[in-house]
Amino acid sequence: MNINSTLFLQAVVFAILVWFSMRYIWPPITKALDERARKIADGLAAADKAKSELAQANQRVEQQLSAARDDAGKRLADAERLAQSIVEEAKQRANEEGAKIVAAAKAEADQAIVQAREALRAQVAELAVKGAEQILRREVNASVHADLLSRLKTEL
């Protein structure tokens, strides 16, 4: 093979092409490649960051849900205790009121018994007075007195 000027000229043109490419074409390409690599790296970092933030948010949500469940359970237990105490208090008041009603009814019954006795005593006294009056009006006779006393007994 002969090295002639064409080969030499081709080498010079290739060197100029390489120099021109390295000077004007290669920097924007490397810059674009570096920019793209940086964007990809930033995107991956943002995805990792978002993933960790999502995990943290999920953990906070679980904690808040757990706290809300605990709070709801406590409130429910408090409400049940309050309802139970209200029911017990109402039962106690009802028992007390029932006892008062029974005592009032008993006192009323006792008073009615006393009034009935007083009325009966008054009637017995009136009948005794009437019987004595009739005995005193008539003559003193044992058979008549016995008859009057038996009628008095039947009236009583």
Side-chain angles (χ1 to χ4, degrees):
M1 259 190 59
N2 253 343
I3 298 183
N4 57 15
S5 63
T6 309
L7 185 62
F8 182 70
L9 190 60
Q10 284 179 355
V12 170
V13 169
F14 183 73
I16 291 172
L17 180 66
V18 168
W19 174 79
F20 182 78
S21 294
M22 293 292 277
R23 177 85 176 172
Y24 297 105
I25 296 173
W26 191 256
I29 291 174
T30 57
K31 183 178 176 186
L33 287 175
D34 289 343
E35 183 68 25
R36 177 146 176 134
R38 186 184 57 77
K39 284 182 181 179
I40 290 172
D42 289 347
L44 289 174
D48 287 341
K49 184 178 177 184
K51 194 174 185 180
S52 68
E53 286 177 358
L54 177 64
Q56 290 174 353
N58 283 338
Q59 187 178 16
R60 283 193 307 269
V61 166
E62 284 298 322
Q63 288 174 349
Q64 288 175 350
L65 282 175
S66 176
R69 283 185 199 117
D70 291 345
D71 187 43
K74 287 178 184 175
R75 288 183 182 193
L76 189 60
D78 289 344
E80 287 176 0
R81 279 193 297 269
L82 180 62
Q84 188 67 24
S85 68
I86 289 172
V87 166
E88 290 299 323
E89 186 177 322
K91 283 181 183 178
Q92 184 179 7
R93 273 194 247 138
N95 287 339
E96 289 172 1
E97 190 67 28
K100 286 179 184 178
I101 290 171
V102 166
K106 191 173 185 180
E108 189 176 317
D110 289 343
Q111 187 178 7
I113 289 171
V114 168
Q115 287 176 352
R117 283 183 183 164
E118 289 297 322
L120 186 61
R121 281 184 192 155
Q123 288 176 356
V124 167
E126 186 179 321
L127 287 175
V129 168
K130 279 184 182 179
E133 195 176 289
Q134 287 177 2
I135 291 172
L136 291 177
R137 280 189 193 162
R138 292 196 179 179
E139 58 190 66
V140 179
N141 187 351
S143 63
V144 175
H145 293 304
D147 184 40
L148 284 176
L149 287 176
S150 66
R151 274 193 288 151
L152 183 63
K153 273 186 191 176
T154 57
E155 286 183 27
L156 290 176

